[in-house]
Amino acid sequence: MNKRYIPVISSMAFACLTVILSGCSFGLQPLPSTVQQQLNDAVDQGMDGIIVCVNRPDDIQLYAAGWKNREEQIPADPHALFKIASISKLYIAAATTRLVAEEKLSLDKKLAEYIPEVTGQIEFADQITLKMMLQHRSGILDYSSQPEVPGETFDDYLSFAGRIYGKPAVFEPNKKYRYSNTNYLLIGEIIDRTLGYSHHTYVRDELLTPLGLSDTYNVPGEVDMQEVMSGYLKGWEPDVKDWEFPLPGGSMIATAEDVSVFLRALIDGTLFSPKEQTIYTSVYPYEHTGWLPGYTSIARYHPDIDAVVVQFVNTSGKEIYWLELKSLYKRIVRILEMNH
């Protein structure tokens, strides 16, 4: 039986002492001259497999080190599919943006209007707007931090929202920012209801196909899992690739190159009309990280070198492990800056 795990992305605001205790040694080593050398060093320090894509105008460079499958000793493949986890939220935010531009959705419409049955179940549902959910300013509790409830099924998004029903909000709507996977779970439901069909189809038809992203998929069920990079947990030997997560905001699978192409198109105006670009800029950033058991990812644009840099690592651990992942990413960017 496949296990269910929910992605949780938390702020990594640790003190310097925590950095020392983490055992991360990247910062103590001289910076290699090439990205490939840096990836090889990271594998030597315990990362199972790494893929990096550097997308510059008219030039895409791919790098890989370590293992695609550790048990079978299959080397990391830079073209392998990867569970991109919460990077999926960029695609949902983009789909929502287009639907707002088409006036099929409204940023100011309330959650209770979109999903009436959550009234009385989710605090402030009559005050929380779609825009607040997009921006993680709703105050809605993160369902991924709550225990399972009976009847959860991947075919019913609200069955997972049931984890937070009747529980107090983290804060009043629009008072603060706090990342919550529940926001995008509910947005997935809202889009499905608005369209009358799955948002997966809309994302594919409106975002992926026009950009030629044939190696991007909405859910694991769309892919041959043999093509997906294996995933590993610190302290847990077996491959966790078969652990499922087909819920909105964390379900997508893609190659590093496809993610880089999407992010560049999102930024440079290729994907959106000027109206859509203005809407998107008002609701969501142009970068993201992702975490699922066995899968960690970072996708960002660096204007000083005009490069989208995507990092996939098929190793995950406790929150403190993000320090190592972030340190690796920063070192890769520094190498690119030195060689620019």
Side-chain angles (χ1 to χ4, degrees):
M1 179 180 294
N2 291 331
K3 298 185 180 180
R4 299 175 180 176
Y5 280 78
I6 310 304
V8 181
I9 306 296
S10 302
S11 173
M12 302 299 148
F14 294 105
C16 292
L17 178 61
T18 307
V19 176
I20 295 171
L21 294 175
S22 75
C24 177
S25 56
F26 288 125
L28 304 178
Q29 296 179 338
L31 197 66
S33 59
T34 69
V35 172
Q36 188 61 56
Q37 286 177 296
Q38 181 60 75
L39 300 195
N40 294 342
D41 290 347
V43 170
D44 289 342
Q45 293 180 46
M47 294 185 182
D48 293 286
I50 308 168
I51 297 171
V52 167
C53 177
V54 180
N55 181 319
R56 295 187 177 95
D58 303 317
D59 179 45
I60 295 177
Q61 298 293 324
L62 293 167
Y63 306 87
W67 303 112
K68 177 182 178 182
N69 183 294
R70 190 174 65 197
E71 292 83 1
E72 299 178 13
Q73 299 287 283
I74 300 174
D77 176 1
H79 302 285
L81 295 171
F82 194 87
K83 296 183 181 183
I84 65 172
S86 283
I87 291 177
S88 305
K89 291 180 175 65
L90 291 175
Y91 300 76
I92 291 183
T96 304
T97 291
R98 179 151 294 172
L99 289 166
V100 169
E102 294 172 346
E103 298 185 353
K104 295 176 181 176
L105 291 174
S106 169
L107 291 175
D108 297 324
K109 192 171 178 179
K110 309 298 192 294
L111 172 59
E113 297 177 84
Y114 282 118
I115 311 177
E117 59 265 44
V118 302
T119 303
Q121 300 281 8
I122 296 179
E123 191 173 15
F124 304 120
D126 60 340
Q127 300 177 40
I128 295 167
T129 65
L130 177 60
K131 184 175 183 178
M132 292 175 199
M133 288 189 285
L134 284 165
Q135 295 179 317
H136 295 290
R137 295 184 62 85
S138 66
I140 297 174
L141 189 65
D142 190 341
Y143 74 91
S144 64
S145 66
Q146 302 301 305
E148 293 184 19
V149 296
E152 288 182 357
T153 168
F154 291 131
D155 294 326
D156 179 4
Y157 301 152
L158 292 187
S159 68
F160 285 85
R163 295 183 183 192
I164 68 163
Y165 285 173
K167 298 179 180 179
V170 181
F171 50 81
E172 292 184 14
N174 212 32
K175 294 295 184 181
K176 301 178 183 178
Y177 168 92
R178 182 162 177 175
Y179 190 95
S180 173
N181 289 292
T182 311
N183 288 314
Y184 279 71
L185 182 82
L186 295 170
I187 292 170
E189 177 73 16
I190 288 169
I191 295 176
D192 287 1
R193 292 188 181 201
T194 299
L195 294 172
Y197 58 87
S198 174
H199 67 281
H200 296 158
T201 301
Y202 188 83
V203 167
R204 184 183 66 240
D205 292 348
E206 293 291 324
L207 307 179
L208 306 182
T209 299
L211 293 175
L213 301 180
S214 58
D215 289 319
T216 303
Y217 303 90
N218 283 286
V219 289
E222 296 178 355
V223 307
D224 177 358
M225 293 303 289
Q226 292 298 317
E227 302 299 321
V228 178
M229 200 170 187
S230 293
Y232 301 99
L233 290 169
K234 287 282 190 180
W236 177 269
E237 191 64 26
D239 183 354
V240 299
K241 179 169 65 176
D242 291 335
W243 290 8
E244 289 187 310
F245 187 80
L247 296 175
S251 67
M252 295 182 73
I253 290 176
T255 61
E257 181 173 351
D258 263 24
V259 170
S260 77
V261 171
F262 177 78
L263 186 51
R264 182 169 284 282
L266 190 65
I267 292 167
D268 69 9
T270 303
L271 180 63
F272 284 149
S273 69
K275 177 182 179 181
E276 290 169 336
Q277 202 79 48
T278 299
I279 294 169
Y280 184 91
T281 301
S282 74
V283 296
Y284 216 63
Y286 290 91
E287 63 177 52
H288 223 288
T289 58
W291 181 93
L292 277 171
Y295 298 88
T296 51
S297 48
I298 302 173
R300 293 186 180 128
Y301 174 67
H302 301 271
D304 54 330
I305 54 174
D306 194 7
V308 172
V309 181
V310 177
Q311 172 183 292
F312 291 166
V313 179
N314 65 342
T315 313
S316 70
K318 296 181 179 179
E319 287 189 347
I320 202 169
Y321 182 63
W322 269 102
L323 290 172
E324 295 192 46
L325 298 167
K326 290 165 65 177
S327 178
L328 173 61
Y329 187 89
K330 288 178 181 178
R331 288 170 68 85
I332 290 168
V333 173
R334 284 172 58 200
I335 292 168
L336 294 171
E337 289 170 344
M338 285 192 317
N339 297 328
H340 182 58

